[in-house]
Amino acid sequence: MFNFKTACFYFLAVKIHIYRFFKNIYFLTNYYNKSLKTKTPEQLYFYPNPFLLSSFVNHKIFTFNLSKVNIDTFWNDFGSQKEEEDLNSFFWLNLISRKNDGSTIQRIISIWIKNNIHYKKKSWNNLNISKRILSWILNADIILNNADKAFQKKFFNSMISQVNHLKKNLNYESDPTKKIEILSAIILSGLVFKEYNSNFEMGIKVLKNIVEKFFDNEGCPINRNNYDLVQCSKFLILIKECCKDAQEYIPDYLDDIVDKLIDCLYTLKTPINKNPLFNGSSEFKIDSYLEYLSGLEYKPKNVKDKINQIYVARGKKNILFFDVGSPPRKKYSKSYQSGPLSFEYYIDNNKIITNCGFGNKISKKAELISRLTSAQSTLCLNDSSVVKFERNKLINDAFGTAITTSFKVFDFNIDDADNFITVSAKHNAYENNFNYIHERIIKIDKKKNNLLGKDNLIYTGEHKKIPDTYSIRFHLYPGVTAVQTFGKNSILIKVDKNKSLIFTCDEGNLIVEKSIFLAKNQIVNNFCITISGVLNNSENKSIIWKIKKNN
């Protein structure tokens, strides 16, 4: 049964779907396509550095050999939908030799323009267009190499038509990260074409509004999504560097947010150069991106201990990432994973404890599983998630799978003493349903490099209808194995053939379970250490656990 707020979202979702339906019909009309045709630019004012696009394309992994391309079937022979999207983005232009004479590329682009002279839903998706415009502008040196005037005119006209489409539809994009990507294409078009300097002025003004609303004072996205943090930094740095190349003014807010984003990136840098898995992140290597930033002479100015509501405790040989944040507002929660007080743990440059990661690139089912509290290294009561998610398909299609309930994380404390770093926090997500507040206290032993934990369940109510079960999960990173010892109160964690750890707990039922890891864009098997037990009525409960080196 709908409550009033859900009903409002439902009717708004209906309105959005109706609008999208008629908008797509309108886009197919000659009237709309004629409205996209405006003045043809005479030339590019400058050629941006194609290196700036390399943060989006990994040259070490991918190659693109034009000599093996069949031009006649290039736009007809796709191995998959992803391959079609990748080819339509034209990011592959950054993977070919800069010595290419341009004729083959010009023929490929000419065929694309002929096939897509009018709006097509697949190839004219806003994000596809923005990627294509960025790639065309940043690779214009090889595209226009030895090009005749007829091709140049056709190329410029197509580019401007697509940019005009982005401008007309910019206000209908609600996702700030996607909006920044779209704005980057609009701003660059205003930098390289003098006739369209108004695109730069408009884009910079709109971008300022997004930066002020979407990022907190430390430069983190308010949706708490680490993947978006990285993606936004790429586009904002791209815009700043192109402004510099064009000898155009760089707004103070752009300078400021780029500096803050660099600090955020280095604060969240892990020993294995892969991002920590909190709130909508799949695993990706960040070392090549850090090399890219170093090549542009970007360095951190203020690496902090707490960023994006994730506290980072650094010992001599171990490091802890601890989620001490409340959920974002519903509007920004479509990638939120319900793991308050979850943590990830590294020792001797090995990742030991992990969250399962975000499964959105695998399937809808994998995404749903990855959003459950049980997929994070934290505590569950009655195997339920700490928040509920919107299940109405119509609303989800319009707004994304947002949360429908919320909670608070509070009493966050840090004590960095001589021998221990102690961090603690509480959340009230289970208080309404189960009359419990969860407190987690974690200590890093600086001398012995051990990790000490204590999970407190603090009873706050007077009447409970049913006894509650608790379970605390510690998901192990793929490749790390675990075996229970004969005493049943400890588990041997095997990191590699020469390194092992001991996990101990004297309370509850301690077992090793099979689990799944969803952060590698495929389902990977791994292990999970679980402590479980039953709560008696009206009792406080403390569960103490430890991860120490096996001497």
Side-chain angles (χ1 to χ4, degrees):
M1 185 175 179
F2 283 179
N3 57 34
F4 178 74
K5 187 179 287 188
T6 303
C8 289
F9 269 98
Y10 180 81
F11 286 115
L12 188 57
V14 171
K15 183 179 178 181
I16 290 172
H17 279 285
I18 292 173
Y19 171 77
R20 286 175 180 172
F21 175 77
F22 285 107
K23 184 177 70 172
N24 285 328
I25 293 175
Y26 172 59
F27 286 165
L28 296 172
T29 64
N30 287 330
Y31 176 81
Y32 178 74
N33 284 286
K34 284 181 181 179
S35 73
L36 300 178
K37 300 184 186 305
T38 51
K39 184 178 180 180
T40 304
E42 291 184 6
Q43 62 181 21
L44 268 74
Y45 172 63
F46 78 105
Y47 289 87
N49 185 355
F51 172 75
L52 297 175
L53 204 61
S54 61
S55 66
F56 300 94
V57 183
N58 194 332
H59 291 257
K60 296 177 182 178
I61 298 176
F62 300 103
T63 58
F64 199 90
N65 192 340
L66 270 184
S67 63
K68 296 182 179 180
V69 167
N70 184 337
I71 296 174
D72 295 328
T73 62
F74 189 86
W75 295 114
N76 301 315
D77 189 16
F78 303 119
S80 64
Q81 183 178 343
K82 186 180 185 307
E83 183 183 354
E84 183 178 1
E85 290 175 358
D86 289 344
L87 290 177
N88 270 283
S89 76
F90 280 87
F91 271 6
W92 50 267
L93 286 172
N94 244 53
L95 302 173
I96 64 177
S97 171
R98 312 311 291 181
K99 297 177 181 179
N100 193 286
D101 66 2
S103 59
T104 303
I105 299 171
Q106 289 157 23
R107 287 173 63 194
I108 290 172
I109 291 177
S110 292
I111 295 171
W112 186 93
I113 293 173
K114 182 181 178 182
N115 293 340
N116 297 274
I117 194 167
H118 293 150
Y119 171 85
K120 286 185 178 180
K121 189 175 180 179
K122 267 190 177 181
S123 55
W124 282 62
N125 171 282
N126 284 345
L127 296 187
N128 230 327
I129 291 177
S130 60
K131 288 181 174 66
R132 186 159 53 244
I133 295 301
L134 291 176
S135 186
W136 282 4
I137 289 175
L138 287 158
N139 289 286
D141 58 332
I142 56 171
I143 293 173
L144 297 176
N145 185 20
N146 296 324
D148 57 33
K149 287 188 177 181
F151 172 80
Q152 181 174 297
K153 182 178 180 180
K154 182 167 50 178
F155 178 62
F156 287 169
N157 278 335
S158 177
M159 202 185 305
I160 292 301
S161 291
Q162 293 175 69
V163 171
N164 287 339
H165 175 77
L166 293 180
K167 287 163 58 181
K168 285 176 180 286
N169 292 278
L170 178 64
N171 291 334
Y172 300 113
E173 179 54 67
S174 59
D175 188 322
T177 304
K178 293 178 181 178
K179 212 165 185 176
I180 288 173
E181 181 174 343
I182 294 166
L183 280 168
S184 65
I186 295 172
I187 289 169
L188 259 65
S189 71
L191 286 173
V192 299
F193 295 127
K194 279 188 174 181
E195 298 89 342
Y196 288 90
N197 184 254
S198 59
N199 287 359
F200 169 76
E201 299 290 346
M202 179 275 286
I204 287 294
K205 184 177 179 180
V206 175
L207 183 62
K208 180 181 180 182
N209 186 48
I210 295 173
V211 167
E212 289 174 347
K213 291 181 178 179
F214 186 55
F215 297 93
D216 64 20
N217 292 332
E218 294 174 324
C220 294
I222 60 176
N223 65 359
R224 304 195 59 221
N225 188 318
N226 292 331
Y227 179 78
D228 283 354
L229 187 154
V230 175
Q231 288 301 102
C232 287
S233 73
K234 290 182 179 182
F235 287 108
L236 292 169
I237 288 169
L238 175 65
I239 292 169
K240 178 182 175 179
E241 289 298 314
C242 285
C243 286
K244 195 187 298 182
D245 286 352
Q247 298 182 342
E248 187 60 81
Y249 74 92
I250 300 172
D252 289 341
Y253 79 84
L254 185 56
D255 253 337
D256 182 57
I257 189 61
V258 166
D259 286 344
K260 288 178 177 178
L261 285 168
I262 299 299
D263 289 344
C264 290
L265 289 170
Y266 277 88
T267 297
L268 294 176
K269 181 178 180 294
T270 71
I272 60 173
N273 282 325
K274 293 180 180 178
N275 56 302
L277 300 174
F278 298 95
N279 302 318
S281 287
S282 292
E283 193 173 67
F284 54 90
K285 294 202 75 173
I286 200 171
D287 51 350
S288 60
Y289 184 45
L290 296 180
E291 286 177 19
Y292 165 84
L293 294 176
S294 178
L296 294 173
E297 299 184 352
Y298 284 104
K299 296 179 181 178
K301 296 180 180 179
N302 184 20
V303 175
K304 302 176 183 179
D305 291 329
K306 183 170 173 281
I307 210 81
N308 216 13
Q309 298 181 61
I310 296 171
Y311 182 76
V312 187
R314 296 178 173 88
K316 287 184 179 179
K317 294 185 178 182
N318 50 7
I319 183 169
L320 173 82
F321 293 86
F322 186 30
D323 187 346
V324 293
S326 303
R329 285 178 290 159
K330 179 173 181 175
K331 180 180 178 181
Y332 298 110
S333 66
K334 67 179 184 179
S335 297
Y336 178 70
Q337 292 174 275
S338 52
L341 311 188
S342 65
F343 74 97
E344 297 200 327
Y345 180 60
Y346 299 76
I347 187 166
D348 294 332
N349 295 326
N350 294 289
K351 188 173 187 179
I352 308 300
I353 307 297
T354 183
N355 292 318
C356 288
F358 202 46
N360 63 319
K361 294 183 180 178
I362 301 173
S363 68
K364 288 289 183 183
K365 184 177 180 180
E367 178 181 333
L368 176 61
I369 292 170
S370 68
R371 300 185 74 174
L372 303 176
T373 302
S374 55
Q376 327 306 322
S377 289
T378 189
L379 176 141
C380 289
L381 290 184
N382 278 15
D383 271 334
S384 60
S385 283
V386 297
V387 296
K388 293 181 180 179
F389 299 100
E390 183 62 66
R391 302 304 296 269
N392 184 280
K393 188 176 185 301
L394 194 69
I395 295 176
N396 288 341
D397 287 344
F399 301 105
T401 311
I403 60 174
T404 59
T405 58
S406 191
F407 60 88
K408 289 183 179 179
V409 173
F410 57 100
D411 285 358
F412 170 60
N413 290 295
I414 311 162
D415 181 17
D416 193 346
D418 291 338
N419 296 329
F420 294 94
I421 302 173
T422 305
V423 291
S424 64
K426 300 173 183 175
H427 76 77
N428 64 355
Y430 287 124
E431 187 172 17
N432 285 341
N433 290 333
F434 303 116
N435 296 309
Y436 275 105
I437 284 175
H438 175 210
E439 178 185 37
R440 172 164 273 182
I441 304 167
I442 302 181
K443 291 184 177 183
I444 284 185
D445 185 333
K446 291 182 178 180
K447 290 186 176 181
K448 297 180 180 179
N449 296 311
N450 296 329
L451 192 72
L452 315 173
K454 184 178 183 181
D455 285 285
N456 293 322
L457 285 164
I458 304 166
Y459 182 68
T460 63
E462 296 181 357
H463 305 287
K464 287 204 309 173
K465 296 180 180 179
I466 57 173
D468 298 313
T469 60
Y470 70 86
S471 54
I472 308 173
R473 291 179 175 84
F474 304 83
H475 295 277
L476 300 180
Y477 192 67
V480 177
T481 59
V483 179
Q484 192 154 25
T485 60
F486 289 112
K488 300 295 183 182
N489 64 344
S490 64
I491 288 173
L492 178 69
I493 300 173
K494 193 76 173 176
V495 182
D496 56 41
K497 64 180 181 179
N498 298 317
K499 188 179 300 179
S500 61
L501 306 168
I502 293 288
F503 184 102
T504 60
C505 179
D506 294 326
E507 180 67 42
N509 182 32
L510 181 65
I511 60 171
V512 176
E513 297 180 307
K514 290 183 178 180
S515 183
I516 54 174
F517 185 76
L518 303 166
K520 294 181 180 292
N521 300 333
Q522 58 180 322
I523 297 175
V524 177
N525 293 325
N526 67 329
F527 291 96
C528 176
I529 297 172
T530 303
I531 307 168
S532 61
V534 176
L535 293 169
N536 296 319
N537 288 340
S538 308
E539 74 166 1
N540 293 333
K541 189 76 173 180
S542 293
I543 303 102
I544 299 171
W545 48 267
K546 180 190 292 187
I547 301 175
K548 62 180 181 179
K549 286 193 170 183
N550 186 27
N551 296 325

